[in-house]
Amino acid sequence: MSPPLLKLGAVLSTMAMISNWMSQTLPSLVGLNTTRITTSDSLTQISPKEGWQVYSSAQDPDGRCICTVVAPEQNLCSRDAKSRQLRQLLEKVQNMSQSIEVLNLRTQRDFQYVLKMETQMKGLKAKFRQIEDDRKTLMTKHFQELKEKMDELLPLIPVLEQYKTDAKLITQFKEEIRNLSTVLTGIQEEIGAYDYEELHQRVVNLETRLRDCMKKLTCGKLMKITGPITVKISGTRFGAWMTDPLASEKNNRVWYMDSYTNNKIVREYKSIADFISGAESRTYNLPFKWAGTNHVVYNGSLYFNKYQSNIIIKYSFDTGRVLAQRSLEYAGFHNVYPYTWGGFSDIDLMADEIGLWAVYATNQNAGNIVISQLNQDTLEVLKSWSTGYPKRSAGESFMICGTLYVTNSHLTGAKVYYSYSTKTSTYEYTDIPFHNQYFHISMLDYNARDRALYAWNNGHQVLFNVTLFHIIKTEDDT
């Protein structure tokens, strides 16, 4: 290969290094390579570790605004940690700025070489045209050699044009790095103007007061449902997925049960992220097939309806054994009193802030919904409430703070239409719409820890956020 082509190869190698550096280093510097469900928005939530968040807001009878705020963890207010992170970021920006300067000098030098080569190539092309017009005066051998050299150089013209564009881009990056460095320096100076010891103490005091206020909160009343957030698309049209509302903050296991019948396999995932990626941590082969999709995981155990029966099973994930089973007296089963979509959804097991519940219908209550609170250990019915809402007219239902909320359909246009309070033994008709994005809901359950509704929507695993109205307990209420 001729010397000019060797030089050009070196230039192209430098271009490759520049492109690789820009794709790997600059995004991490300016924060473009960060990801977030997601749930998957995966699940769009603001963790108390990341910043302040409003848990709920409402208005009391006197017109005063009542807000509940969750404070960030105390250790994030550390002056040393914040300053150290900022210094490290500033040093990285300064180092990167110096690297850009060196790269810019090399780029300018190579750019001049490219311009010179471009001029030579254009002159060669013009000369070749002239020679071709008068090719009869030249020897055929010399003409062929010259033509071959030209053929080698022609493909490089668009490459050189791209290189000119990349050189301009590097100049822009250099200017952006310089601006970012100026901004970070200003932030550092501004942070240094505060007394962080005093600020930290004020945050601690405020957090203490807020936590005392939260202890006075009673259970909330459902006001609004927003979403959904689509976490994953998997399985058949019908199924259930859930987390344990009594699990610790570090325990985020997900359980997945596809289909409403003819299945005994429960899949476990260590986290929502693993669930999204499909990284199973364990599978369980239950001793009995389940009926419906209305199962619940509560305090480390799975509660489900045994197929073709009104028997409730308590299965321990830790031991892999059945800990208890009991017949739910008079409860209809096997599509006698299902929800509107069918699917052997006669018996719906659920949990809320108060405990474990079963929702079903009986002949004795004319096919209307019956609510029973269960003992989580023995499955004994502690107390029951008979409602006047027909089970077959309900799309789905869920419990929040001892109140049953019933939807009027499982299809598009569904809304929470009816509620029954076990505290007052009274009901009311409601009008709380929610977006049935995928047109067919076969599972809808409330999780008290996440304060969210888990749903199976036509083969999509989704989450709905809920807004609750809270009442502050007064001294007279205690």
Side-chain angles (χ1 to χ4, degrees):
M1 184 180 294
S2 61
L5 292 181
L6 289 175
K7 291 182 179 180
L8 187 56
V11 172
L12 295 177
S13 177
T14 302
M15 290 165 50
M17 293 170 59
I18 292 171
S19 300
N20 184 55
W21 178 87
M22 287 190 295
S23 64
Q24 295 185 8
T25 305
L26 291 180
S28 63
L29 177 63
V30 297
L32 295 177
N33 63 339
T34 56
T35 56
R36 185 180 184 270
I37 129 280
T38 297
T39 44
S40 122
D41 350 18
S42 106
L43 190 41
T44 304
Q45 295 181 347
I46 301 176
S47 169
K49 294 183 179 180
E50 298 175 348
W52 298 85
Q53 65 171 334
V54 176
Y55 169 62
S56 65
S57 62
Q59 194 174 45
D60 64 9
D62 297 329
R64 293 174 298 183
C65 182
I66 302 173
C67 295
T68 302
V69 181
V70 179
E73 291 187 359
Q74 299 178 15
N75 57 8
L76 292 182
C77 290
S78 171
R79 177 180 184 180
D80 293 338
K82 285 288 186 183
S83 298
R84 183 172 61 256
Q85 292 175 3
L86 187 58
R87 285 197 304 271
Q88 291 174 351
L89 181 57
L90 187 58
E91 290 173 0
K92 180 180 289 188
V93 171
Q94 292 171 347
N95 292 337
M96 213 54 61
S97 180
Q98 294 174 0
S99 299
I100 287 290
E101 285 290 349
V102 175
L103 187 60
N104 184 58
L105 291 176
R106 293 176 56 188
T107 301
Q108 293 299 326
R109 181 195 62 194
D110 293 341
F111 184 59
Q112 294 301 321
Y113 173 76
V114 168
L115 292 177
K116 183 178 179 181
M117 174 173 280
E118 183 181 27
T119 302
Q120 292 177 350
M121 289 179 64
K122 290 180 179 178
L124 183 60
K125 184 176 182 181
K127 185 176 179 181
F128 179 78
R129 288 176 179 172
Q130 181 181 356
I131 293 173
E132 189 176 25
D133 293 339
D134 197 22
R135 61 181 179 275
K136 294 181 179 180
T137 61
L138 296 176
M139 295 177 63
T140 305
K141 180 180 179 181
H142 292 166
F143 173 79
Q144 186 63 30
E145 291 178 353
L146 192 59
K147 191 175 187 308
E148 290 177 356
K149 289 183 179 180
M150 189 61 196
D151 290 339
E152 292 178 0
L153 291 174
L154 282 176
L156 296 178
I157 292 179
V159 176
L160 293 175
E161 292 294 334
Q162 181 62 42
Y163 183 77
K164 290 165 63 178
T165 303
D166 292 341
K168 294 179 181 179
L169 185 61
I170 291 176
T171 302
Q172 294 175 2
F173 278 133
K174 177 183 176 182
E175 185 63 27
E176 292 179 9
I177 291 294
R178 184 181 294 110
N179 294 338
L180 179 59
S181 179
T182 302
V183 171
L184 289 176
T185 302
I187 292 175
Q188 188 179 39
E189 293 174 354
E190 183 179 352
I191 288 179
Y194 293 97
D195 185 349
Y196 264 78
E197 294 299 330
E198 178 183 354
L199 181 60
H200 176 70
Q201 188 58 45
R202 291 175 60 185
V203 170
V204 172
N205 293 338
L206 178 60
E207 182 180 4
T208 301
R209 291 168 58 191
L210 288 172
R211 293 191 183 281
D212 290 341
C213 180
M214 289 184 66
K215 292 179 182 178
K216 297 180 181 180
L217 287 176
T218 61
C219 262
K221 179 179 179 181
L222 179 65
M223 303 298 293
K224 185 179 180 181
I225 300 175
T226 56
I229 300 167
T230 301
V231 178
K232 188 176 182 179
I233 304 174
S234 65
T236 63
R237 294 183 64 195
F238 318 99
W241 72 294
M242 64 213 84
T243 60
D244 190 343
L246 294 186
S248 64
E249 292 185 0
K250 296 182 180 180
N251 183 352
N252 296 304
R253 288 186 295 175
V254 177
W255 291 274
Y256 178 88
M257 302 170 69
D258 192 13
S259 185
Y260 65 86
T261 185
N262 199 32
N263 199 350
K264 299 193 297 180
I265 302 300
V266 181
R267 306 184 188 280
E268 180 182 286
Y269 305 85
K270 289 185 178 180
S271 65
I272 288 285
D274 285 351
F275 173 61
I276 294 173
S277 65
E280 295 180 21
S281 60
R282 190 173 177 183
T283 58
Y284 302 88
N285 191 353
L286 302 179
F288 311 106
K289 295 179 181 178
W290 63 71
T293 59
N294 308 117
H295 332 293
V296 65
V297 174
Y298 189 70
N299 200 23
S301 294
L302 171 67
Y303 297 81
F304 67 96
N305 177 208
K306 183 180 178 181
Y307 180 59
Q308 290 188 332
S309 75
N310 60 5
I311 296 175
I312 300 172
I313 305 293
K314 177 183 179 181
Y315 176 85
S316 171
F317 286 126
D318 291 335
T319 64
R321 298 172 54 191
V322 173
L323 300 183
Q325 55 181 312
R326 183 181 292 268
S327 175
L328 196 58
E329 191 174 19
Y330 303 123
F333 61 92
H334 204 62
N335 275 347
V336 174
Y337 295 118
Y339 288 128
T340 55
W341 65 275
F344 306 141
S345 55
D346 304 70
I347 298 175
D348 193 349
L349 301 171
M350 55 189 73
D352 67 354
E353 293 84 351
I354 295 176
L356 185 66
W357 304 86
V359 173
Y360 54 98
T362 64
N363 289 333
Q364 288 74 6
N365 196 36
N368 295 323
I369 290 177
V370 177
I371 307 169
S372 292
Q373 187 174 8
L374 305 179
N375 182 298
Q376 66 169 326
D377 297 321
T378 65
L379 302 179
E380 178 185 1
V381 174
L382 302 178
K383 187 177 180 180
S384 293
W385 294 261
S386 296
T387 76
Y389 197 93
K391 179 74 161 51
R392 283 181 167 271
S393 298
E396 277 288 342
S397 66
F398 53 89
M399 296 286 293
I400 299 180
C401 297
T403 297
L404 179 71
Y405 294 92
V406 181
T407 70
N408 63 345
S409 174
H410 65 282
L411 301 174
T412 303
K415 61 183 179 180
V416 177
Y417 181 73
Y418 175 91
S419 67
Y420 187 95
S421 170
T422 58
K423 181 179 180 180
T424 62
S425 297
T426 58
Y427 71 90
E428 65 175 328
Y429 288 96
T430 60
D431 187 6
I432 305 176
F434 62 95
H435 184 37
N436 187 349
Q437 184 169 353
Y438 304 109
F439 318 119
H440 190 290
I441 291 180
S442 59
M443 170 251 178
L444 187 65
D445 279 328
Y446 173 70
N447 186 292
R449 185 186 73 164
D450 299 336
R451 294 186 176 90
L453 293 173
Y454 283 64
W456 190 291
N457 195 340
N458 203 8
H460 299 72
Q461 292 74 52
V462 304
L463 289 170
F464 292 93
N465 291 319
V466 297
T467 300
L468 305 180
F469 177 85
H470 292 273
I471 302 174
I472 303 295
K473 290 189 295 186
T474 64
E475 297 297 333
D476 297 336
D477 296 329
T478 58

